[in-house]
């Protein structure tokens, strides 16, 4: 009886906590369907006008294209860097390699605003040599995103590598495979799903990145998060609600995709 | 011998690019920013003197500490409750908690802040609800103030509190809880005397992680605070892009970085102490 009582109490408190977590996300949805021009509840007149406005706005469309480009480039490069680094560390597993891991993960603990400032510094210097890849350029944003997202990609890869049986490497070597053959024909095929999940993580992180993006762009580059930021600061229109709902849907889809990948990976491991 | 060496070399080639790239793109510029703090606008420690003596900066730092501490306490408390349900409740409950924690975590910080702006607005859901129940007669200002900032930060930080807390709860031997009940302890007594002490390392870890995160982010405070409640990170942003006071912004960043380094050292020390005790 007593046990059920505590369970009951903590659960009813948890319902409030869960409500608190989901409340602001759900609050956005009805507002995006208002038929009015300003931010309001639909009040019986549901309308898709703000979604239509979004898709006919060249500003928003160019933001979406830029965000997609940046996220695709940054996540591909970050994945390649994270995979080579993690596989290298997995082969070597020395004290120096461990120190390298710690070093590579440092940007994760540094507050975003400081990383943003550091990358602003880097981009302005880079821009003085190579204006096409520096401050307020698409390649510049890609470089900044790579720096920010790669540590997270490394963590994902290292976690995936830790249960990998080391004997597969030895077996391959004994059978006469070189490092490249071992890597491409034995190690990497075992990591396909981990690499996919690393890529998705990088894609999501880069797509949503705002703190650093704000510091390294001004007028030429306007990613979706930057666009939302400007709208939220200047005049909040229901268009922001519409794009927010689309982002909610997209994020949930990516999340489900990632969960499916993990589920597949888990099933593979149990059947093998 | 040569073959072994060449393999070792090739492996080093796999490892090298990322640390090198980060040293170039992050390490060097970090040194540059630290350099700014003692050279801009004039060489010397003037910026640091300003950080220590300027009363408006002191107010801002105190506000940062106050808002971060209250957000951290609330986020860890809510995180503790959710972790408890995630680890010990029945399967369906675990699933619900999992979704409630993971979905918001992956939603853009901007969308989350915007959601609170709508939910807490003068004609927002919460005000409408409270008025229809009759608790309040006119709309209560709930955005663009410290209340909104705390709500937004707590909302952002709960998932980050849940991870260390739930992992420390998973390590607990459940039989100690059953034993306490078997010896006649009530639910609350079991909670305070058996569960909480065993999760202290997780609590400390969660507290420090959440606190450090709170200190550093500025999107949520900037949107929900409406300029009235500037915290250190937003202050740095304003110094750089509105007043062009890069030296002061850099000096504040260095102070923040040193403070966070101290907290990280504290976390490492605390976790080692714990290992010693065990």
């Amino acid at each position: 009886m007593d046990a059920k009582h505590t369970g009951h109490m903590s659960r009813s408190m948890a319902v409030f906590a869960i409500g608190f977590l989901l409340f602001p996300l759900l609050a956005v949805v009805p507002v995006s369907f208002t038929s009015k021009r300003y931010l309001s509840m639909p009040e019986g007149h549901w309308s898709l006008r703000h979604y239509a406005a979004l898709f006919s706005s060249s500003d928003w469309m160019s933001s979406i294209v830029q965000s997609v480009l940046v996220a695709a480039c940054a996540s591909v490069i970050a994945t390649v860097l994270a995979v080579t680094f993690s596989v290298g560390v997995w082969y070597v597993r020395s004290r120096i390699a461990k120190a390298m891991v710690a070093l590579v993960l440092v940007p994760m603990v540094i507050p975003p605003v400081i990383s943003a400032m550091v990358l602003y510094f880097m981009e302005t210097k880079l821009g003085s040599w190579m204006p096409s890849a520096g401050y307020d350029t698409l390649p510049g944003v890609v470089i900044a995103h790579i720096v920010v997202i790669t540590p997270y990609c490394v963590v994902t890869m290292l976690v995936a590598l830790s249960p990998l049986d080391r004997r597969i490497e030895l077996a391959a070597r004994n059978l006469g495979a070189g490092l490249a053959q071992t890597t491409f024909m034995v190690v990497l095929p075992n990591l396909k799903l981990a690499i996919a999940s690393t890529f998705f993580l990088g894609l999501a992180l880069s797509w949503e990145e705002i703190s650093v993006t704000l510091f390294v762009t001004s007028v030429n580059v306007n990613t979706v998060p930057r666009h939302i930021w400007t709208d939220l600061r200047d005049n909040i229109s229901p268009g922001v609600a519409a794009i927010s709902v689309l982002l909610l849907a997209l994020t949930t889809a990516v999340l489900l995709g990632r969960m499916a990948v993990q589920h597949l990976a888990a099933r593979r491991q149990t059947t093998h | 011998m040569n073959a072994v060496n060449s393999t070792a070399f090739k492996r080093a080639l796999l490892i090298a690019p990322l640390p090198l790239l980060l040293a170039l793109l992050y390490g060097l510029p970090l040194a540059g920013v630290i350099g700014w703090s003692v050279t801009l606008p004039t060489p010397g420690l003037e910026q640091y003197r300003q950080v220590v003596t300027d009363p408006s900066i002191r107010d801002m730092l105190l506000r940062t500490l106050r808002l971060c501490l209250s957000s951290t306490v609330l986020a860890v408390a809510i995180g503790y409750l959710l972790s408890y349900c995630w680890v010990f409740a029945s399967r369906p409950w675990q699933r619900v908690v999992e979704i409630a924690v993971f979905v918001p975590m992956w939603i853009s910080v901007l969308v989350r802040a915007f959601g609170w702006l709508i939910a807490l607005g003068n004609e927002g859901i919460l005000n409408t609800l409270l008025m229809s129940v009759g608790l309040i007669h006119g709309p209560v200002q709930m955005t663009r103030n410290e209340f909104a900032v705390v709500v937004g930060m707590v909302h952002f930080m709960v998932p980050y509190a849940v991870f260390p807390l739930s992992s420390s709860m998973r390590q607990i031997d459940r039989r100690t809880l059953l034993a306490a009940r078997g010896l006649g302890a009530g639910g609350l007594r079991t909670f305070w005397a058996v569960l909480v002490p065993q999760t202290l390392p997780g609590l400390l870890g969660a507290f420090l992680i959440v606190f450090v995160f709170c200190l550093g982010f500025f999107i949520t405070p900037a949107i929900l605070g409406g300029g009235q409640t500037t915290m250190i990170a937003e202050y740095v942003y304003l110094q750089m892009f509105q007043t062009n006071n890069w030296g002061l912004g850099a000096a504040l960043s260095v102070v923040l970085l040193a403070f966070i380094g101290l907290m990280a050292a504290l976390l490492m020390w605390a976790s080692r102490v714990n290992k010693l005790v065990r």
Side-chain angles (χ1 to χ4, degrees), chain B residues 25-43:
Chain B
L25 298 179
Y26 201 99
L28 273 182
L30 181 61
V33 166
I34 295 172
W36 271 357
S37 75
V38 288
T39 54
L40 293 178
T42 50

Side-chain angles (χ1 to χ4, degrees), chain B residues 37-39 48-49 69 127 134 166 172 178 186 199 205 231:
Chain B
S37 75
V38 288
T39 54
Y48 288 98
R49 198 189 63 79
L69 269 177
N127 261 320
S166 58
I172 290 178
L178 289 175
T199 50
M231 288 168 44

Side-chain angles (χ1 to χ4, degrees), chain A residues 21 115 117 169 201 208 251, chain B residues 7 11 26 106 155 250 253 260:
Chain A
L21 286 176
S115 293
M117 202 169 178
E169 185 215 344
L201 177 79
E208 283 175 358
T251 310
Chain B
T7 305
R11 286 171 166 181
Y26 201 99
W106 283 103
H155 184 253
S253 295
I260 284 169

Side-chain angles (χ1 to χ4, degrees), chain A residues 39 60 210 214-215 225-237 240, chain B residues 110 113-114 117 144 149 218-231 233-239 241-242:
Chain A
L39 213 57
W60 277 110
I210 174 65
L214 260 186
F215 276 69
R226 191 183 172 121
H227 205 146
I228 297 178
W229 162 268
T230 321
D231 263 36
L232 283 182
R233 297 216 105 186
D234 299 347
N235 63 320
I236 309 175
S237 68
V240 183
Chain B
L110 288 160
F114 176 53
L117 217 50
R144 312 212 177 272
V149 173
F218 72 103
I219 301 293
T220 308
I223 290 172
L224 288 166
Q228 304 301 307
T229 57
T230 316
M231 288 168 44
E234 192 187 357
Y235 197 83
V236 169
Y237 173 73
L238 294 176
Q239 288 310 310
F241 292 102
Q242 277 181 11

Side-chain angles (χ1 to χ4, degrees), chain B residues 128-145:
Chain B
T128 315
L129 201 74
L130 289 177
M131 280 194 282
S132 67
V133 176
L135 270 173
I136 51 173
H137 296 294
V140 175
Q141 169 89 21
M142 285 189 282
T143 57
R144 312 212 177 272
N145 55 23

